[in-house]
Amino acid sequence: MEMIERYLQAVKFWLPKRQKNDIIAELSADIHAQVEEREAELGRKLTEAEIEAILKQRGRPIFVANRFLPQESLIGPLLFPVYRFCLKVAVLVYLIPWLWVSITILISAATFPAGQPRPQWFMTLATIAGHLWSMAFVAAGALTILFAILERVQAKSHFLDNWTPRKLPPVRNLNQIPRSGSSIELAVNLIFFAWWAVYAHSTEVFIGASVRISLNAQWLWFFWAYLLLALVNATLAAAKLMHPFWTTRHAALRLLSDAAGAGLFCWLMKANVLTAVTVAGVSPEKTATFAPAINSWTATFFPAALIVGLIIVGADIYRIVRIQSAAESLSA
Amino acid sequence: MLAVLAALRREQYGYTLRKTLSEHGLEIDEGTLYPLLRRLETQGLLASQWREEEKRKKRFYLLSSEGALVLDQLLAEWRSIDASIHQVLKEQAHGND
């Protein structure tokens, strides 16, 4: 019978103070009644194993006690889907920059000469990657506390009951292209086209009267390619303005244009196009170091540019898949 | 809940109540029964008292007057639902013929 007392003691620990003795007395009476009935059936005292089986069948003490406690939850079923959604957004907000920083570090680290100390920017990125995790945990904790408070406020005021269907957002069409966006895209591409044609067409670039930048012949390839891309993008934006819905052809052209732009930009990072920088009033010996330093500095950004390019191309591919699956589901 | 209220028109303690329900094909474990009895008592549908029986103190429950009223209402509701379900099943059976 000692086992029954131990069981009751374990249940008692979890019970609310005011009801402890009352519940335990009733539970004790119930268990003893069951034991006595079984003993009467068998005509003998129960063995320890048989008592153990009876207690085990009743369940773990904490679960038994839990049935007598009021049902409580930190975040209830009403707010939980919203909480989960906000948590996913928060994780993405921190995870994407963390992934970008981490991949940049990984690619850059592979290009460092052995035995040389890591540059300052590399160490800064490593620190940022570490901080992003702790910030993500703090954000998740803050969200949990916020929703726990909201849960309590909702339980008292029922503020979520006050709603009207009129305030629901309009039906979304993921394939619709906002005309405002297309207009801005068209304007930006036309301005860029004009600016690029005027200021970037030469291998000799002047910044004010005192700075002269000399570029090698590869720059002209880059110049013409980007000029053509600006024209293509402006044409695509105009077409989207006329027909404001994504089609597979539109999305494929956008993919080609973005892939070409990203590829060219990555190539420029590594191309060492800068041949000389001349600054009025600065000795030629000193300015001679500028071009190699800038070329080397630009090359270190290659991994970051590559990742950004891949993300853009990935988003374009996802758009094509989305358009095609939407078309398939419509035809099905 | 309906079965518990109905069974407690006659005074019983927890263990015998559980056995009564079980004999009528309504198995209910003690982890569900005792919290339910407490809730029903808090709502004023049951009255209870501790009494000694067979050298052991036991808590006896009995349907209160308010509990009897609620039981009548619940029974009427249950019979109405039962009749509706029967009607639906009957119409479906005719439809299948």
Side-chain angles (χ1 to χ4, degrees):
Chain A
M1 291 293 176
E2 191 225 346
M3 201 187 290
I4 296 174
E5 298 312 310
R6 279 162 58 195
Y7 183 80
L8 292 170
Q9 179 184 269
V11 176
K12 193 175 179 180
F13 179 81
W14 299 104
L15 291 172
K17 219 173 195 174
R18 278 192 297 174
Q19 295 174 291
K20 263 183 203 281
N21 293 333
D22 196 46
I23 294 171
I24 289 300
E26 192 166 23
L27 194 61
S28 170
D30 191 80
I31 295 171
H32 282 105
Q34 189 179 359
V35 169
E36 281 162 14
E37 192 186 70
R38 188 84 185 113
E39 283 176 345
E41 277 170 21
L42 296 170
R44 60 167 171 83
K45 289 271 176 200
L46 292 189
T47 63
E48 200 163 295
E50 284 164 338
I51 292 174
E52 186 188 352
I54 287 175
L55 296 178
K56 220 170 165 191
Q57 179 260 324
R58 283 175 176 259
R60 210 176 255 276
I62 190 171
F63 296 155
V64 173
N66 194 35
R67 299 273 182 97
F68 290 93
L69 301 174
Q71 295 301 306
E72 285 178 316
S73 56
L74 191 63
I75 298 162
L78 199 66
L79 282 173
F80 191 78
V82 191
Y83 166 69
R84 191 172 50 191
F85 174 76
C86 292
L87 212 56
K88 277 182 187 172
V89 172
V91 166
L92 276 179
V93 163
Y94 289 99
L95 193 68
I96 290 170
W98 178 82
L99 269 176
W100 183 73
V101 168
S102 303
I103 295 170
T104 307
I105 287 172
L106 276 176
I107 297 174
S108 306
T111 62
F112 289 143
Q116 291 233 345
R118 300 286 190 249
Q120 186 57 43
W121 66 263
F122 181 85
M123 301 313 290
T124 310
L125 276 184
T127 315
I128 290 171
H131 281 321
L132 276 169
W133 268 120
S134 50
M135 281 161 72
F137 280 117
V138 170
L143 265 178
T144 308
I145 292 169
L146 175 72
F147 273 87
I149 293 169
L150 277 177
E151 179 66 39
R152 267 114 200 106
V153 175
Q154 158 66 16
K156 279 186 184 163
S157 67
H158 297 278
F159 69 92
L160 285 175
D161 295 348
N162 296 325
W163 72 285
T164 164
R166 286 174 193 279
K167 287 186 180 170
L168 291 172
V171 176
R172 275 195 314 162
N173 182 351
L174 284 173
N175 288 338
Q176 189 166 13
I177 308 164
R179 281 207 156 94
S180 56
S182 300
S183 307
I184 292 168
E185 201 180 325
L186 178 64
V188 167
N189 275 295
L190 288 176
I191 291 167
F192 176 78
F193 181 85
W195 177 82
W196 191 250
V198 171
Y199 292 103
H201 68 283
S202 168
T203 53
E204 298 292 323
V205 181
F206 293 90
I207 302 172
S210 54
V211 181
R212 180 183 157 189
I213 296 168
S214 302
L215 304 158
N216 65 20
Q218 287 179 316
W219 171 257
L220 290 176
W221 285 101
F222 186 74
F223 164 76
W224 285 111
Y226 254 64
L227 196 69
L228 183 66
L229 272 178
L231 198 63
V232 169
N233 285 337
T235 312
L236 279 174
K240 282 193 289 185
L241 206 57
M242 307 281 282
H243 179 78
F245 289 95
W246 283 110
T247 59
T248 309
R249 193 195 301 166
H250 247 132
L253 283 170
R254 180 62 181 262
L255 168 66
L256 286 176
S257 151
D258 284 347
L264 279 167
F265 193 75
C266 288
W267 168 76
L268 186 70
M269 299 267 107
K270 288 273 204 182
N272 295 326
V273 287
L274 204 62
T275 52
V277 178
T278 318
V279 182
V282 180
S283 66
E285 290 80 23
K286 200 168 184 182
T287 54
T289 61
F290 287 177
I294 294 171
N295 280 333
S296 160
W297 183 75
T298 312
T300 58
F301 284 99
F302 171 76
L306 183 68
I307 291 163
V308 172
L310 287 173
I311 290 170
I312 293 170
V313 168
D316 287 344
I317 292 170
Y318 170 71
R319 184 186 290 128
I320 294 172
V321 172
R322 198 188 67 207
I323 293 165
Q324 285 189 330
S325 59
E328 276 167 21
S329 64
L330 268 178
S331 62
Chain B
M1 180 180 146
L2 197 60
V4 168
L5 288 176
L8 286 175
R9 283 186 286 203
R10 181 171 63 87
E11 193 184 54
Q12 294 187 75
Y13 68 97
Y15 188 73
T16 49
L17 172 63
R18 199 147 62 87
K19 289 204 74 180
T20 307
L21 293 172
S22 174
E23 281 161 11
H24 288 88
L26 292 164
E27 290 288 349
I28 179 165
D29 68 78
E30 58 287 339
T32 307
L33 179 67
Y34 287 106
L36 173 65
L37 288 172
R38 272 167 194 279
R39 276 202 298 278
L40 294 175
E41 192 187 10
T42 311
Q43 290 164 8
L45 306 184
L46 297 178
S48 78
Q49 65 171 149
W50 283 98
R51 245 190 0 251
E52 198 168 302
E53 193 187 82
E54 293 163 358
K55 293 178 190 170
R56 202 176 288 284
K57 277 187 89 180
K58 289 166 185 170
R59 188 178 197 161
F60 286 85
Y61 292 90
L62 182 67
L63 193 68
S64 68
S65 51
E66 198 184 335
L69 280 174
V70 171
L71 176 62
D72 287 343
Q73 285 168 6
L74 289 174
L75 280 172
E77 201 176 316
W78 181 72
R79 282 181 187 124
S80 157
I81 293 168
D82 186 51
S84 301
I85 291 170
H86 267 97
Q87 192 61 36
V88 171
L89 290 172
K90 205 170 150 187
E91 279 169 20
Q92 278 190 344
H94 282 304
N96 290 338
D97 289 343

